[in-house]
Amino acid sequence: MNYIVIYDGNCNLCVTLVQVLENIDQGQLFEYIPMQDLETLNQFSITAQDCEMGMILIKANAPECRWQGSDAVEEIGRLLPTGNIFIAAYRSLPGAKWMGDRFYEQIRDNRYTIFGKRSTTYHSPYPVGCKASLSEEKGST
């Protein structure tokens, strides 16, 4: 099962978190699209307006299955090794989900002010479709 992470490639915080996820996952579970890549997003019927509500996680083999904002963050955490334990504990705390959602919204809406904006868009070394091209390269050797 693979997932597609759509992130703000101009946001310092977003890029740093994507890089941490890339280091943990090494392209095994997640592939990435920056929100600025409107041509690729169009393949998934995602608009720039859709991206204004925060990061998006898509199940690659069932693109209608999507999470956005803090729900996407939680699902990514749940998918990581031992992450389900932490997400379950977080979700079991009364009011934690509501507070987490509000916290996410504040960070999302003020990310450039708080963390700064990159001068160039970050493109992951694990873009959508990279597994297919890596498999083809291995098969041709």
Side-chain angles (χ1 to χ4, degrees):
M1 183 76 57
N2 291 352
Y3 295 85
I4 300 163
V5 177
I6 301 171
Y7 64 97
D8 185 342
N10 292 341
C11 167
N12 285 328
L13 174 65
C14 305
V15 168
T16 299
L17 295 175
V18 162
Q19 290 172 333
V20 167
L21 188 55
E22 289 167 345
N23 286 329
I24 293 168
D25 181 58
Q26 298 289 304
Q28 296 301 305
L29 188 60
F30 300 106
E31 295 177 325
Y32 306 87
I33 306 171
M35 291 178 178
Q36 291 74 20
D37 185 351
L38 297 178
E39 186 176 323
T40 303
L41 294 179
N42 192 42
Q43 296 172 22
F44 297 94
S45 301
I46 295 175
T47 66
Q49 293 77 20
D50 294 330
C51 293
E52 289 177 14
M53 297 309 295
M55 73 178 305
I56 301 170
L57 179 67
I58 300 173
K59 192 180 285 190
N61 67 347
E64 67 282 356
C65 188
R66 300 175 180 197
W67 299 262
Q68 187 157 22
S70 60
D71 292 334
V73 173
E74 289 176 27
E75 187 63 15
I76 290 168
R78 192 187 68 73
L79 292 166
L80 293 173
T82 69
N84 195 33
I85 295 166
F86 295 103
I87 297 302
Y90 161 77
R91 288 179 177 166
S92 71
L93 296 171
K97 172 69 173 148
W98 182 87
M99 286 180 54
D101 291 348
R102 303 299 81 74
F103 181 72
Y104 181 90
E105 291 166 2
Q106 289 301 308
I107 296 296
R108 177 198 66 204
D109 295 344
N110 299 290
R111 63 189 179 275
Y112 296 141
T113 303
I114 299 169
F115 300 101
K117 186 174 181 179
R118 299 171 54 89
S119 59
T120 59
T121 301
Y122 175 77
H123 293 272
S124 172
Y126 305 104
V128 167
C130 73
K131 288 183 182 168
S133 61
L134 288 174
S135 298
E136 291 168 10
E137 287 175 19
K138 287 179 184 176
S140 65
T141 56

